[in-house]
Amino acid sequence: MTLPLIPLATVRHHHLARHRLCETPTGAGKGQDLHQLMQDLTFVQLDSISTVARAHHMILHARRTNYRPKALDKLMSDRLAFEHWTHDASVIDMDNFGHWKLKFARDAVTLKSRYKNWRRDGYEEKFNAVLKRIADHGPCCSSDVGADEKKGSGGWWDWHPSKTALEYLWRSGKLSVSHRQGFRKFYDLTERVIPQPHLSTQYLPEETIAHTCTTALDCLGFATAGEIAAFWDIITPAEAKQWCADELAAGQLIEVELETAQGKPRRSFARPCVLEVPLMEPTKRIRILSPFDPALRDRKRTERLFGFYYRIEVFVPEAKRQYGYYVFPVLEGDRLIGRIDMKADRARGVMAVRAFWPEAGLRMGSGRVKALTTAIERTARLSAVTDMEFAPDWIR
């Protein structure tokens, strides 16, 4: 049977619309407006690097120019979102908490196996002491526990046993992140952090499988079973594959072929009504994105959709890097038009722009340069710097 072939432009527009990158980024960027945005995105990835601004702030700012970091702090303190692990540490809309119980149970098993190889022994013996310390004295961070334990010499990931116990108890659901100071996590008992309605909600595994697959497909528009499983990283690829098969048999899914930038069509699943949804034409505004933006997190998907090779080559010697370690993708309309290397020098109050590399064949006329400069100005305001400084010949 010949499958419907979806043009690449249509696939891109669906992808950007579902990631809230088609519309003009107006709106309050706080309160109910921010909560709705979080519900639509389902989660944003956290990252400690603040070359310009932390990843989660850049993600939200790309969709709401008025957004400022305190607005997410308020959302978290109001318990409308919680912090946990998807494919990485993330802020997640609170409505998903009940489904995280399956992840807690699975992580409790898998992390014990992993920690035997990754961490030093003795962390399980610290569980009761850590829980009692938090129960008696309130939220704590890793520096509040294990004062008498030998610190590791193996680098940042060589945790002392009580730090490992804190992280394990968080990943397995006994503890939750109550707040952060800077980027330091403070843990409390889960029952003192998560609102009771979410805390008491229970789902069967098959309900969580259905929820995670449905929300993943809603956010992606078109996806393979593997992409659906990887979206939340709660269920297995086999579970996602079976869900797709069941939904396909029930007429709730269809198979389609997607045009790609490389020319080879890719078979994916979609809802039968997907092409009936009216699409908004993407705004031409230029946006500087975080490397961890949810629209880009799947690097292979980014290459198929945009013909844009974007990977952070951590272990490649500097001499072999084409762009440097940490550069930011630049989106214009439905195109990724280049990469920009810039850094917020907060001591001087300056956004230092080192280089912009346009994609091959892109013409940098005066109008586009002005639009890019305006985008840099917006990002500078998020970074709380007031001036911009451009290196000579910064457009490469």
Side-chain angles (χ1 to χ4, degrees), residues 17 21 95 101 156 180 225 232 284 349 377:
L21 287 172
D95 286 344
K101 294 174 185 178
W156 193 63
R180 283 182 181 257
W232 287 113
K284 296 299 183 182
E377 289 174 349

Side-chain angles (χ1 to χ4, degrees), residues 95-103 203 207-208 211-212 234:
D95 286 344
N96 296 286
F97 182 83
H99 294 288
W100 239 251
K101 294 174 185 178
L102 179 62
K103 187 171 181 67
Y203 293 103
E207 292 176 305
T208 292
H211 171 81
T212 55
I234 294 177

Side-chain angles (χ1 to χ4, degrees), residues 76-289:
M76 296 288 289
S77 66
D78 288 346
R79 305 308 182 202
L80 296 173
F82 68 103
E83 182 177 332
H84 213 265
W85 208 263
T86 54
H87 66 296
D88 211 321
S90 300
V91 175
I92 306 156
D93 180 63
M94 186 62 79
D95 286 344
N96 296 286
F97 182 83
H99 294 288
W100 239 251
K101 294 174 185 178
L102 179 62
K103 187 171 181 67
F104 295 153
R106 291 181 172 183
D107 281 359
V109 175
T110 58
L111 288 179
K112 279 190 178 181
S113 175
R114 292 179 190 174
Y115 282 6
K116 287 180 181 178
N117 300 320
W118 292 0
R119 311 291 181 223
R120 285 178 284 152
D121 294 333
Y123 75 92
E124 293 176 82
E125 299 167 11
K126 303 296 182 180
F127 287 169
N128 289 338
V130 166
L131 288 170
K132 186 176 189 314
R133 192 260 182 233
I134 293 173
D136 292 346
H137 301 288
C140 75
C141 64
S142 59
S143 62
D144 296 326
V145 296
D148 58 344
E149 296 170 21
K150 182 180 178 181
K151 308 299 180 184
S153 57
W156 193 63
W157 291 102
D158 191 1
W159 299 342
H160 57 72
S162 290
K163 159 66 174 171
T164 305
L166 269 177
E167 198 74 5
Y168 179 87
L169 291 167
W170 171 55
R171 292 287 300 272
S172 58
K174 297 291 191 300
L175 298 177
S176 290
V177 175
S178 67
H179 64 285
R180 283 182 181 257
Q181 289 182 6
F183 207 67
R184 179 178 292 179
K185 293 198 295 276
F186 281 75
Y187 306 83
D188 201 352
L189 301 179
T190 291
E191 57 265 30
R192 297 201 299 220
V193 175
I194 305 300
Q196 183 56 42
H198 299 285
L199 191 66
S200 60
T201 299
Q202 298 289 336
Y203 293 103
L204 296 172
E206 55 266 31
E207 292 176 305
T208 292
I209 291 169
H211 171 81
T212 55
C213 290
T214 298
T215 52
L217 187 57
D218 286 346
C219 287
L220 295 172
F222 307 94
T224 64
E227 289 169 337
I228 288 170
F231 184 85
W232 287 113
D233 197 24
I234 294 177
I235 64 173
T236 67
E239 288 168 335
K241 185 176 181 179
Q242 185 60 55
W243 179 84
C244 289
D246 293 343
E247 291 289 285
L248 188 65
Q252 298 301 309
L253 288 183
I254 59 172
E255 287 188 286
V256 296
E257 293 275 8
L258 309 179
E259 280 191 345
T260 68
Q262 292 78 21
K264 183 180 179 180
R266 181 174 176 82
R267 180 174 291 198
S268 293
F269 295 104
R271 291 298 186 188
C273 62
V274 66
L275 296 180
E276 299 171 10
V277 177
L279 286 180
M280 176 189 298
E281 189 71 19
T283 174
K284 296 299 183 182
R285 177 180 290 210
I286 290 180
R287 313 178 203 228
I288 297 169
L289 304 182

